[in-house]
Amino acid sequence: MHRASMSKLIHSRRDFLVHAAKAAALGISGTAALSGVSSFATPLTGAGQTSASDELIPYGAAARSDALVSDLPYRDAIIANCRMIVPESELKWDALRPTRGEFRFEKSDAIVDFGRQNGIAVRGHTLAWYGAMPGWTDEIADRAEAERELVDHIETVVSRYRGQIPSWDVVNEPLAEWPDDEFAFRPSIWARRLGADYLSIALREAALADPDARLVLNEYDVEFKGPRFAARRKALIALLRSLRDRGVPLHAVGLQAHLFADRAIDRDGLQALLAEIKALGLDVLVTELDVIDYTLPGRVSERDAMVAGVAGQFLQAVCDVVRPKAILTWGLSDRYTWVPIYFTRRDGMPNRPLPLDADLRRKPLYDVIDEFRRKPA
Ligand code: G3I
């Protein structure tokens, strides 16, 4: 790495740590002083009695390392609200492996350090995906090379964070958009070179690199009514059974839950999937909850209520069958969300998919999540 950029990174890391020291001090007073920033982390019931935090379903959010350094109110809100965080991009191949010969851990280390300093657990995302792959991986020419690269990556990354990252999205979004048979996989360098074996190779290597880590297969678009979503649920169940039948290590399924306010939740279909997952002895996590509101009316109060309503329907359907091991949203505040990348509103208004608005104020979605995470076990 170029010396200047290394010194910049070190500076930003030192800067991050200096901020950490300041924010840790400020964080406590700052959080208390932050007007309007409510906290999932201080469990209060209606009677004002505190409930033991271990009775609650842990809440967390995807976090961004740059914002944790540059945006202290955001950082305080993460500290005040999250029992866990997941790096939104810093543990993906394109962030860690910009060139074939090197691993760049500065940003992922910074987030893991932040979690440790603030008593916040860190989830790992993700080890085997079609997305966020650096260009050089297109050169992976054959099966042997693909297996070597995938195994080497997982061994290097998971063992580095052994004991620091207790839960990994080992395989992310393996299913084709519309699976037309039980094992239809999303095109990726791994599926192309290794076929269905890439999942077992990845999961087995992750288990070897950190035998204590919880291994998760993470998927989206299994929550709604419609033939494509039904096909995805069917393919997911077939895939999970296949992994179980071959003794492949797997502990949980992540429901990403990127919900659409204008798509109907398929309560029966979703609950049948959850029952199958439970019957396979697998846990469930809600890993990336947000509500994509780009087709909703512009009036904020109306839109926020509809967003909360969809999330409530989803969480009710899930919690009636299983108690999720965690509820994470894909971001904490509308200030930092991926949604407008693909789903910008025609009226030009900012999207409002997350529990806190862009000014870190609580929204109805926050209250819905808070209600479900307090559901008694
Ligand atoms: O870090 C670079 C920066 O240096 C560069 O200047 C900038 C402009 O090109 O790009 C930055 O990287 C971006 C990265 O986010 C970090 O902000 C990538 O271009 C951008 O593609 C990437 O988007 C992320 C996307 O996954 C792809 O990795 C989104 O933020 C993230 O929210 C999204 O998350 C996915 C989950 O991993 C899987 N489930 C769906 C979810 C939403 O798409």
Side-chain angles (χ1 to χ4, degrees), residues 100-147:
R100 186 161 200 165
E102 63 175 331
F103 284 85
R104 296 278 296 278
F105 287 114
E106 293 82 2
K107 290 192 172 184
S108 50
D109 284 356
I111 285 201
V112 172
D113 291 348
F114 168 83
R116 188 179 56 253
Q117 286 160 6
N118 291 285
I120 300 172
V122 180
R123 293 206 66 240
H125 175 89
T126 179
L127 298 168
W129 188 30
Y130 69 84
M133 294 301 282
W136 62 263
T137 55
D138 292 338
E139 299 152 19
I140 295 174
D142 57 32
R143 180 182 176 85
E145 189 181 353
E147 182 163 357

Side-chain angles (χ1 to χ4, degrees), residues 8-251:
K8 180 169 164 291
L9 278 168
I10 290 174
H11 172 69
S12 72
R13 181 167 162 70
R14 188 184 308 121
D15 193 37
F16 177 86
L17 293 176
V18 165
H19 270 307
K22 280 183 190 165
L26 178 69
I28 298 164
S29 55
T31 304
L34 273 175
S35 62
V37 174
S38 305
S39 167
F40 285 123
T42 49
L44 287 178
T45 59
Q49 304 300 318
T50 56
S51 49
S53 59
D54 55 7
E55 290 168 10
L56 304 178
I57 299 173
Y59 168 77
R64 297 184 179 183
S65 57
D66 52 352
L68 287 172
V69 173
S70 62
D71 185 343
L72 276 184
Y74 161 76
R75 168 204 177 76
D76 283 344
I78 290 281
I79 293 169
N81 286 285
C82 297
R83 293 262 305 276
M84 58 180 65
I85 52 176
V86 52
E88 188 168 355
S89 294
E90 292 80 355
L91 278 169
K92 294 173 179 173
W93 275 67
D94 60 354
L96 292 177
R97 317 282 302 277
T99 62
R100 186 161 200 165
E102 63 175 331
F103 284 85
R104 296 278 296 278
F105 287 114
E106 293 82 2
K107 290 192 172 184
S108 50
D109 284 356
I111 285 201
V112 172
D113 291 348
F114 168 83
R116 188 179 56 253
Q117 286 160 6
N118 291 285
I120 300 172
V122 180
R123 293 206 66 240
H125 175 89
T126 179
L127 298 168
W129 188 30
Y130 69 84
M133 294 301 282
W136 62 263
T137 55
D138 292 338
E139 299 152 19
I140 295 174
D142 57 32
R143 180 182 176 85
E145 189 181 353
E147 182 163 357
R148 194 168 51 250
E149 285 292 347
L150 183 56
V151 165
D152 176 50
H153 180 87
I154 294 175
E155 200 285 324
T156 304
V157 176
V158 174
S159 56
R160 181 185 184 88
Y161 295 113
R162 181 168 177 170
Q164 299 181 81
I165 295 184
S167 171
W168 275 97
D169 290 339
V170 177
V171 176
N172 193 45
E173 306 174 8
L175 297 178
E177 274 293 274
W178 190 320
D180 50 15
D181 63 44
E182 289 183 341
F183 291 110
F185 289 104
R186 184 96 180 224
S188 69
I189 188 65
W190 311 124
R192 281 194 297 277
R193 295 287 182 267
L194 298 165
D197 291 347
Y198 90 86
L199 289 96
S200 50
I201 290 166
L203 287 161
R204 287 194 169 107
E205 184 52 38
L208 278 175
D210 185 348
D212 299 324
R214 306 297 287 167
L215 309 182
V216 181
L217 184 152
N218 197 37
E219 194 50 276
Y220 74 107
D221 271 4
V222 293
E223 303 87 356
F224 309 111
K225 281 184 179 161
R228 181 168 80 84
F229 308 112
R232 289 175 64 81
R233 288 189 288 267
K234 180 185 170 195
L236 179 56
I237 291 167
L239 174 55
L240 294 172
R241 284 181 179 150
S242 164
L243 293 171
R244 185 275 312 267
D245 294 348
R246 288 181 291 132
V248 177
L250 179 69
H251 303 108

